[in-house]
Amino acid sequence: MCAMRRVAVTGMGIVSPLGNTVDEAYSNAYLGRSGIHLLEIPLNRRLLAPLAATVHFDGVGHFDPPKLRMLDRVSQFALVAANQALVDSGCDLRQLDRDRAGVFVGTGMGGSQSNDDGYKTLYGDASDRIKPFTVLMGMHNAPAAWIGIEHALRGPNLTYSTACSSSAVAIGEAWLRVAGGSLDLAIAGGAEAPLSFGSLKAWEALHTLASIDEDTPSASCKPFSKNRSGMVLGEGAAMLILEPWDHALERGTPIHGELLGYGLSTDAGHITRPSVEGQAMAIRAALQSAMIEPSAVDAINAHGTGTQANDTVETGAIKAVFGKRAHHLPISATKALHGHLLGAAGALECVLSLLAMQHAVALPTMHLLVPDPECDLDYVPNVARENVGAHTKLSNSFAFGGTNAVLVLGAKS
């Protein structure tokens, strides 16, 4: 078996409720500015809590009309984030063997709006005039396929749909191929546009969504707080460029950080109920993959959804792996600000984590004003923390269906 190569992150791109550039998104996360707000849509009176974290984005400014007609919002996000990441990386694809370049994208719900529109036409309007591109717009692999087509990348083009861990899985699987030597470049991340009315009602029926904070609606998501009431859905995309460390050095391109390892486990007990054992197993698997001990971890990006079950279980899993040291690790939960991007959440949080490491900052877990005795770790409440020299950081992503994925990130050196 050949030795694993070091893998550098050389490009990052974001379309998110916190902003549509990497710098803007990081700045708003650092300052604790929430992208969550009350929805103003015609059907919001039928929603119990019309909240979401939306992206200020219009595809008209990015795509010609013929192409735009074939792109669901999820694919628009993915293409723009991937293009940003490639520009950021400074990679000249003309100098690359495109047979050895792949695309790895996570999404939980695919083209939700296109599918919802089709069902409304068929059932709500009793019409048979379905848009001819409905299947192509709604299919889960459309975002990855469009990225591959846009840049003529002929290597693996893979879509992962493991609910809330989808994009962490996509990044981890891309890392395996670059580190293992079968690819020289990967575009990896996630995209999600789940804010169709049908999707919002379906999530509402599951009783996992937050109630509205009457004083400050933008503070409705409260990870690890005693008065947390659930998650808030968000939309957007985040993409990373992964390439061998030595190749990046040869090109002289700036390196944002390193992907050191990736761990997977499955909660095989219940489709929505997480387990301490399953999450702890994923963390341990990630550490083993990175060949480091728990003592080497300096900080954690938590999955931190703001639901009663997840936050307590994740706290227990961190304690199970790190023991007494768990109380001394800064833990950030940025979903309080950008909402839960489902299949794109892990990628967005991976990018924010890498940026926080570059700035020696622990990003704040906002709206944590009421401590929960069952969630008693250091969640960096309400204000970013300076001078946090994190050389190694975990980014946790846990999911309905039970697929747990943890990424191990290293600071650039």
Side-chain angles (χ1 to χ4, degrees):
M1 181 178 177
C2 63
M4 297 285 275
R5 302 189 292 186
R6 293 180 69 185
V7 177
V9 178
T10 57
M12 302 189 295
I14 282 181
V15 176
S16 83
L18 297 180
N20 294 341
T21 68
V22 165
D23 290 341
E24 184 184 10
Y26 174 77
S27 176
N28 284 323
Y30 173 82
L31 294 171
R33 293 173 177 164
S34 177
I36 294 169
H37 60 94
L38 292 172
L39 281 174
E40 296 180 3
I41 58 173
L43 294 171
N44 70 356
R45 67 187 183 279
R46 294 175 60 188
L47 294 169
L48 297 176
L51 288 164
T54 59
V55 174
H56 295 291
F57 180 93
D58 187 345
V60 172
H62 297 275
F63 305 100
D64 294 333
K67 185 171 185 177
L68 187 59
R69 285 193 291 270
M70 299 181 70
L71 299 175
D72 182 270
R73 192 167 170 87
V74 71
S75 294
Q76 296 171 40
F77 291 163
L79 279 165
V80 171
N83 290 343
Q84 283 183 26
L86 280 166
V87 170
D88 183 41
S89 75
C91 180
D92 184 355
L93 293 178
R94 294 170 299 180
Q95 305 299 317
L96 187 74
D97 180 354
R98 300 193 198 201
D99 294 351
R100 292 179 55 81
V103 181
F104 301 76
V105 175
T107 185
M109 301 187 70
S112 171
Q113 188 63 58
S114 294
N115 289 326
D116 211 41
D117 290 345
Y119 290 134
K120 180 182 180 297
T121 298
L122 186 63
Y123 300 118
D125 302 337
S127 170
D128 293 331
R129 297 180 63 84
I130 304 295
K131 291 180 180 178
F133 299 133
T134 295
V135 169
L136 304 182
M137 296 169 73
M139 63 190 191
H140 280 53
N141 67 320
W146 279 113
I147 293 170
I149 291 167
E150 177 101 342
H151 301 289
L153 305 180
R154 295 184 294 270
N157 191 293
L158 297 171
T159 298
Y160 299 87
S161 192
T162 58
C164 311
S165 60
S166 299
S167 56
V169 170
I171 293 168
E173 294 296 317
W175 170 77
L176 285 172
R177 287 164 177 79
V178 176
S182 63
L183 291 181
D184 293 328
L185 181 136
I187 302 175
E192 202 76 88
L195 303 182
S196 65
F197 181 67
S199 170
L200 290 167
K201 288 299 290 183
W203 279 99
E204 180 184 281
L206 203 54
H207 300 292
T208 59
L209 298 184
S211 57
I212 297 172
D213 184 305
E214 297 297 338
D215 295 326
T216 312
S218 63
S220 295
C221 184
K222 301 173 168 61
F224 300 107
S225 179
K226 177 71 171 176
N227 61 341
R228 65 190 184 276
S229 61
M231 66 185 194
V232 175
L233 291 178
E235 62 175 357
M239 297 290 168
L240 295 84
I241 304 301
L242 305 182
E243 60 180 295
W245 187 273
D246 290 345
H247 290 198
L249 292 180
E250 288 172 8
R251 294 201 298 114
T253 190
I255 293 173
H256 294 294
E258 185 173 2
L259 196 53
L260 299 171
Y262 156 60
L264 278 175
S265 73
T266 304
D267 289 316
H270 193 279
I271 198 164
T272 62
R273 191 180 304 134
S275 76
V276 169
E277 296 77 15
Q279 293 186 5
M281 187 185 302
I283 295 172
R284 291 191 181 103
L287 297 176
Q288 182 178 12
S289 169
M291 295 185 290
I292 61 174
E293 297 296 325
S295 59
V297 174
D298 302 309
I300 297 175
N301 173 82
H303 187 54
T305 59
T307 61
Q308 287 292 328
N310 176 82
D311 292 2
T312 304
V313 168
E314 185 168 14
T315 298
I318 293 169
K319 289 180 179 179
V321 175
F322 294 97
K324 292 180 180 180
R325 190 166 177 270
H327 292 273
H328 303 287
L329 289 169
I331 300 168
S332 303
T334 56
K335 288 185 179 71
L337 298 171
H338 54 66
H340 197 338
L341 275 65
L342 304 177
L348 175 57
E349 291 163 23
C350 180
V351 170
L352 292 175
S353 294
L354 287 165
L355 291 166
M357 293 171 78
Q358 287 181 24
H359 290 86
V361 161
L363 292 172
T365 298
M366 295 302 295
H367 321 136
L368 207 173
L369 301 176
V370 185
D372 184 346
E374 294 188 15
C375 298
D376 58 351
L377 301 179
D378 177 7
Y379 304 109
V380 194
N382 304 311
V383 178
R385 187 175 301 162
E386 303 284 350
N387 301 315
V388 178
H391 299 287
T392 305
K393 187 171 187 175
L394 303 185
S395 187
N396 294 343
S397 296
F398 307 129
F400 283 173
T403 300
N404 304 309
V406 177
L407 301 173
V408 186
L409 310 176
K412 60 181 180 179
S413 57

